[in-house]
Amino acid sequence: DNAPTYVTFATIASGGDDFTPLMKDRPDFLAAISCGAVFMGAMTYIGNGPNFMVKAIAEKMHYKMPSFVGYMTKFSLPILLP
């Protein structure tokens, strides 16, 4: 679910579609991109597809769901940031 974020940022970092030079020359960049895509993507509704899907389904079933900022401050930051 975080693969599109990873591919987007890896493409930007590599300057094109070929990640091979980036893997050889700067594996630390790819590690940082991978960690950022996984950990920061999980902290938001938008950055994590399943979170956004669950929110949409719950709202359709008339369950009250927190706003984007509410989700970040109430659930994401205290649990995922440490």
Side-chain angles (χ1 to χ4, degrees):
D1 60 337
N2 294 310
T5 306
Y6 173 80
V7 170
T8 301
F9 285 114
T11 301
I12 292 169
S14 67
D17 292 333
D18 185 15
F19 302 159
T20 308
L22 194 59
M23 286 189 285
K24 285 175 50 180
D25 300 334
R26 296 304 305 262
D28 55 329
F29 272 24
L30 286 179
I33 290 168
S34 180
C35 288
V38 171
F39 293 117
M40 295 304 149
M43 292 181 68
T44 67
Y45 281 137
I46 296 168
N48 191 320
N51 288 352
F52 194 60
M53 182 180 64
V54 168
K55 179 184 186 303
I57 292 169
E59 287 179 337
K60 186 172 181 137
M61 300 299 292
H62 304 289
Y63 286 97
K64 185 175 166 118
M65 295 296 291
S67 68
F68 178 78
V69 174
Y71 179 80
M72 292 280 296
T73 57
K74 229 175 160 183
F75 301 104
S76 295
L77 293 176
I79 294 169
L80 295 174
L81 194 60

